[in-house]
Amino acid sequence: LQAGDVVIVCSDPPLFYPLAIAAARRAGAKTIHWSQDVYPDVVQRYWPSRWLALALAPLRWLRNAALRRADQVVVISAGMGRLMQAAGARTTLIPNWGRDDRIRPRDLGDSALRRRHFADDDFVLAYSGNLGRVHEFDTLIAAAHQLRTNQKIRFLIVGSGPRLAMLQAIVATERLDSFSFLPLQPESELADTLAAGDMHYVSLRPEFEGLVLPSKIYSIASVGRGMVFCGDPDGESASLIRENGAGLVTEAGKGRELAAVIAELAEDKARCAEYGAKARAMIEQRYSRDGAMVAWRVLLCSLVTGIGAA
């Protein structure tokens, strides 16, 4: 590092960025913290405890001190921005984006992976990516129970994560034969994997609103697929999907409601296609890669030159 450099440090691994910011400041470099999630708050909300809150207080102080020393903190959601501002950070909101330069929209059924595993007239609700502790699967299991007599409704889980084994165990124990599990696919197959679903399941436990935003939304939308969101119906993810007509929103804990939504979609593929078209339009109009690069260029030029980019 040397004076004049700009260091961009992300939030993973958790709480590494205070060290990076301190090193950059000593070298005279400028720093941007790119916040994709907020620690230690995620830990505290996952294990709510007065004693844990006290134990994490020094880490929160260290985190807040680092945020104040950063030249900019880039956040991916408004809720995250409010939390960072409360800590004294200078924030810029730049949402994550779809890879619309590489992932093209596909018609329903246009997926080699889908053709290998499902019948043409199946309705496939897909989940792709990390099965993390912040994601909501209990409601999905409850909905699957409600729909178990409908042999055409299938659930495709592609990915890994700390909740995968738990979900697989429940599915096996309760004999939910409508579920199929596949490991993470090669990055080169991302578009084909995402296209395997007629709709995608996106979830976030309500207590993590403002700390995490499921960025899989942008990749799913890029391939032209709509979403069924399960979580806080008034949260940012729900609002993003609802306001852009990119899918439907259900409340965490309401398995019957989710089952009814899935059953309706299974009978109306044209509606699924319409949600997918609107999702892709959302990417092109509001969350394209080019648009995000412009926002990042403006920010970087302002730090380097002290003025906005032309």
Side-chain angles (χ1 to χ4, degrees), residues 68-189:
R68 289 191 293 271
R69 295 187 74 191
D71 293 282
Q72 277 289 324
V73 175
V74 172
V75 296
I76 62 172
S77 73
M80 196 178 293
R82 288 190 291 271
L83 191 151
M84 295 294 182
Q85 289 166 6
R90 295 173 289 274
T91 65
T92 299
L93 173 60
I94 304 179
N96 287 338
W97 57 90
R99 290 306 307 266
D100 53 314
D101 58 322
R102 287 170 39 195
I103 301 177
R104 305 306 305 166
R106 295 193 182 190
D107 294 336
L108 294 184
D110 182 11
S111 162
L113 185 148
R114 180 197 173 91
R115 289 189 290 270
R116 287 196 300 270
H117 295 280
F118 302 101
D120 290 343
D121 59 347
D122 283 345
F123 172 79
V124 180
L125 183 67
Y127 182 91
S128 178
N130 179 44
L131 290 86
R133 295 182 177 89
V134 303
H135 300 123
E136 160 62 56
F137 295 106
D138 294 341
T139 309
L140 183 65
I141 291 293
H145 274 289
Q146 295 289 321
L147 298 166
R148 67 190 310 162
T149 59
N150 190 328
Q151 298 301 309
K152 293 299 181 183
I153 295 177
R154 315 298 297 177
F155 301 93
L156 171 63
I157 310 295
V158 182
S160 63
R163 300 202 69 193
L164 175 60
M166 175 275 299
L167 185 58
Q168 288 175 319
I170 292 173
V171 165
T173 300
E174 301 181 12
R175 298 181 179 179
L176 294 172
D177 298 331
S178 55
F179 278 81
S180 298
F181 292 91
L182 294 174
L184 283 173
Q185 301 297 294
E187 198 274 339
S188 60
E189 301 297 321

Side-chain angles (χ1 to χ4, degrees), residues 215-276:
S215 293
K216 61 169 56 71
I217 288 173
Y218 305 105
S219 295
I220 294 165
S222 292
V223 82
R225 292 298 181 267
M227 287 151 274
V228 178
F229 176 77
C230 181
D232 181 353
D234 297 318
E236 286 190 70
S237 299
S239 298
L240 176 65
I241 292 169
R242 186 191 300 113
E243 292 171 3
N244 289 280
L248 297 170
V249 171
T250 60
E251 187 173 353
K254 295 191 175 181
R256 288 182 181 273
E257 176 186 326
L258 177 59
V261 166
I262 295 170
E264 290 176 8
L265 291 170
E267 296 298 322
D268 194 349
K269 292 287 189 76
R271 189 179 178 192
C272 296
E274 181 180 348
Y275 286 134

